[in-house]
């Protein structure tokens, strides 16, 4: 049987490796349009922060290892341009300009997502960058290395933008951030978002909210980001306003699309054509709290979906329950995390949300060095279910969010959560874990 995978990063290479492990006799071909496979995009901001590290360190497994040790027919520099679901053939062109056709019995689309670049004047200047692929990171880092970059304007204020503002400050580069919407981290409770905003500003990041970007001009090698009521000068611009799923092949093959135009898949990762699977950033997933489809493009679910698609291709029957939208990122000295639904999302999905906001300590009462952990928790008044949590602090946040995340997967009530036996020792938190304190308070309100 021929199993063909389009896309050679997190979802695609996880699927190819898993399929070969499951069934060493399977013919597995991976078609990757770039020359890079299996790398950690998530590590790019931290790598860019450090001029002493090679960007190539982010490659998790080299292409030759997949070819020689795992017997995977990995074809880099092969861009797939069309899928014929009737003849079961994918076609495209190699970087050398040669046309190719590959037959499949089962196909996995793992084409990821692309950065959104506004269709405005000046966004095609060579000093305007996006950060999605390893090659984006390679070019951006090389540019900083070889040019005297003193000032960067970042368009966007999402998690990648915030990770990058820290990376650039680590290289003593001044950073302005600008975006059209007036609200900083709109998904976050304002009280918490203000803490993150303050953290960025404390590190000399200038934040310009509510400015519509009109174009980018270049004058004497200096860029000018022109907004309706503001001009920001820079040596380099980073566009980080979000990503969109790479769904072109699915559209061309008449597959159904789902949320945010991501490729629609069932819990087995099958698209609307039973022989074509999709995994990772290009497709949607079920949300474990709402039971509805969601598009939350993150790394773990891409890897896991790759495994599940491969298992199903190999004849095991695997269904993924879904995602809780658990995410964490770092901004300077702050850890910022969330899982599940915000109050607005909970209302949108028909829940009757109740929330609490508490502050706790990151270490026990008499233990030195404690800092504040902010916890916001959301529950449903009607069913008592826990619906979501947000958290931030200087320590003890990133992994603490995993407890409410597991509770969401198990559809626990707030009352159930209050009874969980969470770990305690003075260096790691108070006797009552901050999430338990929040849950106890929330229970009183439900
Ligand atoms: C800067 C940055 C930081 C991040 N940090 C985090 C984090 O901290 N935590 C987290 O969970 N997630 C993070 N992510 C997101 C995470 O990297 C993605 O969710 C993950 O890489 C998705 O994997 P994927 O395989 O679906 O897609 P991708 O990694 O995008 O891979 C898709 C592959 O398909 C190839 N391809 C596309 N079209 C074709 C075609 N037509 N023919 C052949 N090949 C094709 C592409 O070249 C690419 O190699 C981060 C992403 C970035 C950019």
């Amino acid at each position: 049987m021929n199993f063909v995978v389009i896309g050679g990063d997190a979802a695609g290479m996880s699927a190819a490796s898993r399929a070969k492990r499951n069934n060493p006799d399977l013919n597995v071909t991976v078609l990757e349009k770039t020359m890079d496979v299996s790398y950690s995009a998530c590590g790019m901001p931290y790598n860019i922060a450090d001029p002493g590290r090679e960007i190539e360190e982010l490659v998790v497994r080299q292409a030759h290892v997949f070819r020689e040790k795992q017997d995977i027919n990995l074809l880099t520099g092969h861009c797939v341009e069309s899928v014929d679901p009737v003849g079961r053939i994918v076609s495209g062109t190699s970087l050398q300009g040669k046309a190719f056709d590959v037959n499949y019995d089962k196909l996995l689309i793992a084409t990821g997502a692309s950065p959104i670049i506004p269709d405005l004047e000046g966004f095609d200047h060579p000093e305007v960058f996006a950060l999605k692929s390893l090659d984006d990171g390679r070019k951006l880092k090389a540019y900083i290395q070889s040019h005297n970059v003193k000032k960067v304007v970042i368009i966007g204020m999402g998690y990648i933008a915030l990770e990058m503002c820290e990376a650039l400050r680590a290289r003593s580069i001044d950073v302005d951030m600008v975006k059209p919407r007036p609200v900083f981290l709109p998904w976050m409770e304002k009280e918490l978002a203000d803490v993150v905003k303050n953290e960025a500003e404390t590190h000399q990041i200038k934040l310009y909210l509510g400015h519509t970007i009109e174009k980018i001009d270049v004058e004497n090698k200096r860029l000018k980001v022109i907004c309706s009521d503001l001009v920001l000068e820079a040596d380099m611009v980073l566009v980080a306003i979000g990503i969109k799923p790479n769904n072109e092949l699915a559209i061309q093959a008449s597959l159904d699309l789902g949320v945010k135009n991501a490729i629609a898949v069932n819990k087995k990762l099958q698209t609307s054509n039973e022989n074509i699977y999709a995994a990772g950033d290009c497709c949607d997933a079920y949300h474990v709290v709402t039971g509805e489809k969601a598009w939350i493009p993150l790394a773990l679910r891409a890897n896991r979906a790759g495994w599940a698609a491969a298992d199903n291709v190999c004849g095991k029957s695997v269904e993924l329950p879904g995602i809780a939208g658990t995410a964490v990122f770092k901004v300077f000295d702050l850890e910022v995390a969330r899982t599940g639904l915000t109050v607005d999302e909970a209302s949108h999905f028909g829940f009757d949300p109740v929330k609490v906001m508490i502050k706790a300590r990151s270490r026990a009462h008499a233990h030195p060095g404690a800092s504040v952990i902010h916890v916001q928790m959301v529950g449903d008044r009607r069913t008592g279910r826990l619906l979501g949590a947000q958290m931030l602090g200087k320590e003890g946040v990133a992994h603490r969010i995993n407890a409410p995340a597991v509770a969401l997967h198990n559809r626990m009530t707030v009352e159930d959560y209050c009874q969980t036996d969470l770990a305690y020792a003075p260096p790691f938190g108070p006797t009552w874990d901050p999430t338990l304190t929040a849950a106890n308070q929330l229970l009183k309100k439900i």
Side-chain angles (χ1 to χ4, degrees):
M1 182 167 72
N2 292 327
F3 177 36
V4 173
V5 176
I6 309 172
D9 193 27
M13 293 322 299
S14 295
S17 298
R18 179 83 160 196
K20 259 324 221 191
R21 245 190 335 268
N22 283 343
N23 181 355
D25 296 331
L26 196 69
N27 295 320
V28 179
T29 298
V30 179
L31 302 160
E32 165 54 52
K33 70 177 177 182
T34 69
M35 296 309 289
D36 296 312
V37 294
S38 184
Y39 57 86
S40 165
C42 315
M44 287 196 291
Y46 308 98
N47 182 288
I48 289 166
D50 183 351
R53 282 174 63 194
E54 295 293 328
I55 197 105
E56 312 306 324
E57 284 175 24
L58 296 172
V59 176
V60 180
R61 195 173 296 171
Q62 302 283 346
H64 72 89
V65 179
F66 288 109
R67 292 181 186 125
E68 291 155 21
K69 293 213 167 136
Q70 294 179 249
D71 190 26
I72 291 168
N73 181 28
L74 168 57
L75 302 172
T76 47
H78 280 61
C79 181
V80 176
E81 287 152 356
S82 67
V83 174
D84 169 5
V86 178
R88 295 199 202 169
I89 299 172
V90 298
S91 309
T93 311
S94 74
L95 280 179
Q96 288 75 34
K98 274 178 106 177
F100 65 84
D101 292 321
V102 181
N103 293 299
Y104 69 84
D105 296 299
K106 300 285 178 189
L107 177 68
L108 172 67
I109 302 177
T111 47
S114 296
I116 297 169
I117 307 292
D119 187 16
L120 294 172
E121 192 184 327
F123 277 74
D124 54 353
H125 285 307
E127 303 85 1
V128 179
F129 292 83
L131 185 63
K132 180 71 181 78
S133 66
L134 185 63
D135 205 43
D136 293 336
R138 194 180 278 129
K139 287 181 181 145
L140 190 152
K141 191 167 187 180
Y143 190 85
I144 293 173
Q145 225 104 309
S146 57
H147 293 73
N148 189 19
V149 176
K150 296 235 174 297
K151 165 86 184 293
V152 172
V153 170
I154 301 179
I155 302 177
M157 295 184 198
Y159 82 94
I160 291 177
L162 288 165
E163 288 177 351
M164 278 306 294
C165 81
E166 181 184 342
L168 294 166
R169 286 303 295 139
R171 302 198 58 165
S172 305
I173 295 171
D174 289 336
V175 180
D176 289 349
M177 299 179 81
V178 60
K179 70 169 197 169
R181 286 176 74 181
V183 186
F184 186 74
L185 292 177
W187 54 268
M188 191 162 224
E189 195 65 29
K190 183 172 181 325
E191 192 181 324
L192 300 187
D194 284 347
V195 178
V196 184
K197 190 162 174 263
N198 185 46
E199 180 73 9
E201 286 169 342
T202 305
H203 288 84
Q204 292 83 46
I205 306 295
K206 294 205 183 95
L207 300 171
Y208 297 93
L209 292 122
H211 298 276
T212 306
I213 294 101
E214 294 183 337
K215 61 176 175 169
I216 300 173
D217 276 347
V218 187
E219 254 174 51
N220 299 328
K221 299 217 166 190
R222 191 100 172 120
L223 296 173
K224 285 186 177 178
V225 177
I226 314 279
C227 307
S228 43
D229 48 358
L230 180 76
V231 176
L232 298 171
E233 293 200 15
D235 303 309
M236 194 185 116
V237 171
L238 174 64
V239 183
I241 56 171
I243 56 172
K244 54 180 190 236
N246 289 333
N247 57 14
E248 297 80 2
L249 294 174
I251 293 171
Q252 177 272 324
S254 302
L255 304 178
D256 290 349
L257 299 185
V259 182
K260 304 261 171 94
N261 288 326
I263 305 169
V265 289
N266 62 21
K267 288 186 174 174
K268 291 185 164 182
L269 286 313
Q270 275 167 319
T271 66
S272 50
N273 180 310
E274 64 174 356
N275 295 314
I276 306 180
Y277 292 75
D281 283 3
C282 64
C283 68
D284 62 15
Y286 285 89
H287 198 290
V288 293
V289 179
T290 65
E292 304 282 333
K293 286 295 194 70
W295 187 62
I296 305 176
L298 288 169
L300 172 62
R301 76 154 195 138
N303 286 273
R304 177 178 284 141
W307 278 12
D311 285 348
N312 284 313
V313 163
C314 294
K316 296 180 188 173
S317 185
V318 174
E319 292 203 348
L320 293 186
I323 51 169
T326 312
V328 62
F329 63 95
K330 178 176 170 296
V331 195
F332 298 101
D333 297 327
L334 274 186
E335 300 173 9
V336 185
R338 70 169 285 186
T339 189
L341 305 183
T342 64
V343 171
D344 287 349
E345 287 165 349
S347 300
H348 173 80
F349 284 102
F351 294 101
D352 183 3
V354 194
K355 67 172 180 186
V356 287
M357 177 83 73
I358 64 117
K359 283 182 199 170
R361 292 165 60 88
S362 64
R363 303 180 191 188
H365 171 65
H367 203 87
S371 54
V372 179
I373 293 185
H374 302 251
V375 184
Q376 190 243 30
M377 214 173 235
V378 184
D380 181 31
R381 192 178 273 116
R382 264 195 300 275
T383 60
R385 264 179 81 187
L386 181 66
L387 298 178
Q390 300 182 358
M391 227 183 284
L392 63 81
K394 288 187 192 292
E395 63 175 8
V397 164
H399 293 294
R400 192 165 256 124
I401 198 71
N402 289 330
V406 170
L408 295 181
H409 276 270
N410 286 290
R411 302 173 72 87
M412 281 170 77
T413 61
V414 176
E415 196 170 2
D416 290 336
Y417 192 87
C418 290
Q419 296 306 325
T420 53
D421 183 21
L422 302 187
Y424 159 67
F428 307 114
T431 319
W432 290 93
D433 185 87
T435 61
L436 287 176
T437 304
N440 288 336
Q441 295 298 327
L442 187 55
L443 189 60
K444 288 184 203 158
K445 283 184 139 185
I446 280 180

